[in-house]
Amino acid sequence: MKNGVKMLDIAAKLGVSVVTVSNALAGRDGVSEQMRKRICETAEKMGYKPSNTKSERKRLSMSKVSKNVGILTSERFVGARGTFYWELTASISNQLSQHNVCTVYECVTADSETNGILPNMVAEGKVDGVIVIGQVHRSYIKCLSKLTMPLMFVDFYDNRYDIDSVISDSFNGGYILTDYLVSKGHRKIGFFGTLNATSSINDRYLGYVKCIMENELEFRREWIIGDRNEKGILNEKIDFPEEMPTAFVCNCDETAFRVISALKTKGVRVPEDISVVGYDNYTVSSICIPTITTVEVDLAKMAEVSVKIMVKKLADPKYREGRRIISGKLIEKESVLDISGSYSEERSNAY
């Protein structure tokens, strides 16, 4: 008993076992962070006085500390029906809350990016750290780089600025998708993605180019097609080259979905006439007809690693992680036709 209040009283108040209360107050494993926080706060309100042990003093002290982290996303990535980044933001926010860290979300407008206007939560000192998800212009990165609080990027990076980042393995993913098409007999392969729009698109394109080079395939500039405008917003209309390849590597599933829809409008069948692959394994890859072969981004792992890094940076503002790359995997669906047989027959006839 401490000051008249026992662990049994705390347990009865919360409807948990005395063992759970003991583990929570002692900082031992076996208790969720949410429950640990509730137990510590209840113990404090009831006037429970812990014994003079370091673990209990530390745990009760931690229950009183709450940090705020701002999550920023450029408005060009905010879609009406939700986007890949909404899901990533929600996952990061949920995991931060388990570390007693609250999140504040703010959308960065095109005007703010262009004019270097910092978000209100930063300008007004409402957050202790910032996570930027997606991509922002280099001029805006320059503004953010001057912040003295913990800062990190998720799903993009900029080599000019030494800022911690967590990204998917886009270069390897672009290579895997292209090589998969090559293995299915495709020799005329195009790429959909606006170069320099994001670091992810650039890396996926470079993976595509490497595979084209290694397999000594024809590289045609007209088969590299932009998918978004100068503001980074996906184009409504898609322009196809006069002479078409047999397959397209798209930088994301949303673009692959639009490409397939546009091909259907032209009377082109997927995958019978042209094969299409995407990237992310986001919702649209499964609702599209046909479903889209893609590279899956391990979103849960990206969120988990991002949260661990930010928590470390909040505890020690001098902590540096560098760049963490999260591997993905190929997900085979219905949007690719194997033409390797017809290619072999074509080569035989040539001889």
Side-chain angles (χ1 to χ4, degrees):
M1 185 189 303
K2 313 291 181 191
N3 233 17
V5 179
K6 299 177 290 185
M7 288 188 185
L8 180 62
D9 299 322
I10 300 171
K13 178 78 173 177
L14 296 174
V16 298
S17 68
V18 176
V19 173
T20 298
V21 173
S22 176
N23 288 339
L25 296 177
R28 292 189 288 266
D29 294 334
V31 186
S32 70
E33 286 302 316
Q34 186 177 5
M35 177 56 70
R36 193 188 305 278
K37 179 182 176 183
R38 285 185 61 198
I39 291 173
C40 291
E41 289 178 347
T42 301
E44 183 179 18
K45 289 178 182 178
M46 293 178 68
Y48 176 81
K49 302 296 181 183
S51 58
N52 192 29
T53 64
K54 289 183 179 180
S55 61
E56 290 192 36
R57 287 202 309 272
K58 179 180 178 182
R59 180 53 55 190
L60 284 177
S61 174
M62 286 179 64
S63 71
K64 302 175 186 177
V65 178
S66 179
K67 298 281 188 178
N68 295 317
V69 167
I71 297 181
L72 302 180
T73 306
S74 174
E75 68 175 351
R76 62 182 178 273
F77 297 117
V78 181
R81 65 170 178 241
T83 66
F84 170 82
Y85 290 125
W86 276 124
E87 190 172 342
L88 183 56
T89 297
S91 183
I92 289 176
S93 180
N94 289 337
Q95 292 189 44
L96 280 172
S97 67
Q98 296 175 21
H99 292 271
N100 200 25
V101 176
C102 298
T103 53
V104 182
Y105 177 80
E106 194 165 330
C107 178
V108 181
T109 65
D111 182 66
S112 293
E113 274 196 72
T114 302
N115 296 295
I117 301 173
L118 290 174
N120 293 328
M121 58 180 163
V122 173
E124 297 172 9
K126 295 180 179 179
V127 294
D128 305 292
V130 174
I131 297 175
V132 186
I133 299 178
Q135 181 91 36
V136 290
H137 293 303
R138 176 167 281 178
S139 61
Y140 201 67
I141 293 176
K142 182 178 180 180
C143 296
L144 293 171
S145 68
K146 297 177 182 178
L147 297 177
T148 56
M149 66 181 67
L151 171 69
M152 65 177 295
F153 299 153
V154 178
D155 203 45
F156 79 103
Y157 65 94
D158 191 304
N159 283 326
R160 182 175 294 177
Y161 297 94
D162 188 22
I163 296 173
D164 290 348
S165 59
V166 178
I167 61 173
S168 65
D169 195 355
S170 291
F171 179 85
N172 191 48
Y175 185 96
I176 288 173
L177 286 168
T178 311
D179 194 54
Y180 174 75
L181 292 171
V182 173
S183 73
K184 297 300 181 180
H186 294 275
R187 297 296 180 269
K188 298 179 178 180
I189 305 171
F191 181 88
F192 258 98
T194 299
L195 305 185
N196 293 328
T198 69
S199 59
S200 296
I201 292 178
N202 284 353
D203 286 350
R204 290 165 196 177
Y205 168 73
L206 292 173
Y208 155 84
V209 171
K210 180 184 180 184
C211 188
I212 294 294
M213 290 172 57
E214 288 187 349
N215 287 280
E216 299 181 345
L217 303 182
E218 181 182 9
F219 176 87
R220 296 178 61 167
R221 188 66 188 83
E222 62 268 30
W223 288 349
I224 312 304
I225 307 169
D227 66 335
R228 58 199 72 197
N229 62 25
E230 65 280 358
K231 294 182 180 179
I233 299 173
L234 291 173
N235 296 324
E236 291 295 329
K237 184 176 182 297
I238 295 177
D239 294 318
F240 292 100
E242 189 171 323
E243 183 181 341
M244 298 278 269
T246 64
F248 281 115
V249 174
C250 298
N251 76 90
C252 66
D253 291 336
E254 181 69 33
T255 291
F257 182 91
R258 291 170 181 246
V259 168
I260 290 172
S261 297
L263 287 171
K264 287 180 179 179
T265 301
K266 290 171 63 67
V268 179
R269 301 169 301 167
V270 177
E272 292 85 355
D273 300 320
I274 293 182
S275 294
V276 178
V277 295
Y279 200 106
D280 287 337
N281 197 29
Y282 189 59
T283 308
V284 293
S285 68
S286 297
I287 64 174
C288 183
I289 300 175
T291 55
I292 304 169
T293 292
T294 184
V295 163
E296 182 178 76
V297 173
D298 193 340
L299 187 146
K301 186 66 175 179
M302 285 187 73
E304 177 189 342
V305 172
S306 300
V307 168
K308 286 182 178 179
I309 293 172
M310 178 50 71
V311 168
K312 289 179 180 179
K313 292 173 77 69
L314 290 171
D316 178 11
K318 294 182 179 180
Y319 175 80
R320 294 304 317 282
E321 177 73 26
R323 188 178 304 163
R324 289 286 298 275
I325 301 175
I326 309 301
S327 298
K329 61 181 178 180
L330 180 73
I331 305 295
E332 295 184 63
K333 296 185 184 179
E334 303 168 343
S335 62
V336 175
L337 180 68
D338 189 336
I339 62 172
S340 56
S342 60
Y343 177 70
S344 298
E345 184 178 340
E346 180 182 310
R347 291 189 64 186
S348 297
N349 291 336
Y351 291 112

